[in-house]
Amino acid sequence: MIKNKALLGILFYISSLFSVYSCTNEKEHNPEDSKTKTARVVGYLSTDSFGKISSIQFCKLTHLNIAFANPDKDGNILFTGDIDAVVKYAKSVNPNIIVSISLAGGVISEEQAKNWSTLIDKSENRPAFIQNILKFVKDHNLDGVDVDLEWDAVTSGYSGFVVELKKSLSDDKKLLTAALPNSVRFVNINSAALNAFDFINIMAYDSTGPWSPTKVEQHSSYEFARSGIEFWHKQQNVPSEKLTLGVPFYGYNFTFPEVTGSSFGQIVEVGTQFADQDEIGKIFYNGRPTISRKVEYAAEYTGGIMIWELAQDSFTEYSLLDVIHKKYSSLKFKTSGMCGN
C-alpha cells in the first residue's frame, strides 16, 4: 500500500511537470499562431464612374478614394457629382470602409495648377485653404485626404502644405495619403512631407501610354511594380507597411497611331479568354494571373494593393477585384473582413 502511494506520488509529480510544460509551451506558441496579417485594398473611384457604384463590391475594399476635387482661386473646394450619395452607399455596404477625397489628379488644367501654386506656395494662404479642406471632409462625412499632385504641380510649397495639412488632419484623427510615381521622388518633397503621409500609393503603371506612342510595350509589368517598391523602400527609406502597390484595371491599345485606353471590363467583353492574358496584339494590360502575382509580392513587401480605377473592372466572374480579394484570403491576410475574407 505504501509503495502504491509512492508510485502514485511520482506519477502525479511527472503529470504535473508535463502539464506545466504543456501550458508553458502553449503560451509561447499560441500568440505567434494567432497573429493576424492585415493588408489594405485601396480603390480609386472617378466622378465619371458614380453611375456604376451598385456594381462595385465595396465589401472587398478597406479604403475608397473619391477622385478628384480641386480648389478655385480663393481656396474653396470644388467637386462635381453627388459625393454624399456615394459615401452613404459605400458605407451602407461596408460600414468600416475608410473614404477619402483625392485632391488634384494626374491631369489638371492650367487654371487649376495656378490655383494650387498660389494657395500652397504662399505660406500665408495655406491656413485658410487647409481649413476649407477640413470643412469639406467634415461636411461630407469623409475619413481623410489623398494628395495626388504630380509633376509640375508639385511646386515649392508642396512640403509645407503637406506638413501643415497633416497636423490639422491629425487633430481630427483623419487620414493623409498620397499617390506618387513608380520610381520618381519629386524634388519638392522633403523628408518631413514624405513622413507625414500615413501611407503612399505607388502608381506602378503608365510606364508608357498615349504620350509615348512609339514605345509599344507593357505599361505595368510585374518587374516594373517590383522596381517601384524597391525604389521607395530601399532608396527613399519608406517603411514597407507604408507602401501600397498600385495596379491598373485598364490597358493601352497601340494598334493605331493615336493610342487609346481600354478598361479590363471592355477587354473581357471581347473574349473571356483574354482575362488570363496580358496582351492582345498591341493591346497591353494586366490579366488575372499577373494581378495575382502582384498581390503575392505586395503581401510580402508592402502594406497593400491600390486600384486605378474601380469602375474599369469586369463585373463578372472574371473580376480583378475578386482576384485581389481571394488571393489575400488564400494567403491568410485580413483585408475588409467581409465577403468571405
Side-chain angles (χ1 to χ4, degrees), residues 230-246:
E230 290 180 3
F231 171 81
W232 285 106
H233 179 53
K234 294 182 179 179
Q235 296 182 40
Q236 305 305 317
N237 301 312
V238 179
S240 296
E241 63 273 13
K242 290 184 71 172
L243 296 176
T244 315
L245 176 64

Side-chain angles (χ1 to χ4, degrees), residues 78-140:
L78 305 179
F79 186 85
T80 57
D82 191 348
I83 190 170
D84 295 323
V86 174
V87 173
K88 182 178 180 180
Y89 180 79
K91 292 200 172 189
S92 72
V93 175
N94 180 354
N96 295 320
I97 197 168
I98 296 169
V99 185
S100 295
I101 183 64
S102 190
L103 300 175
V107 180
I108 57 176
S109 68
E110 287 186 17
E111 181 182 359
Q112 288 171 331
K114 184 179 179 181
N115 292 343
W116 272 104
S117 178
T118 300
L119 293 165
I120 70 175
D121 293 349
K122 296 180 180 180
S123 59
E124 64 271 22
N125 291 340
R126 289 182 206 147
F129 178 40
I130 289 172
Q131 285 307 306
N132 286 342
I133 295 172
L134 290 176
K135 184 177 185 304
F136 186 89
V137 168
K138 292 175 183 177
D139 286 349
H140 298 290

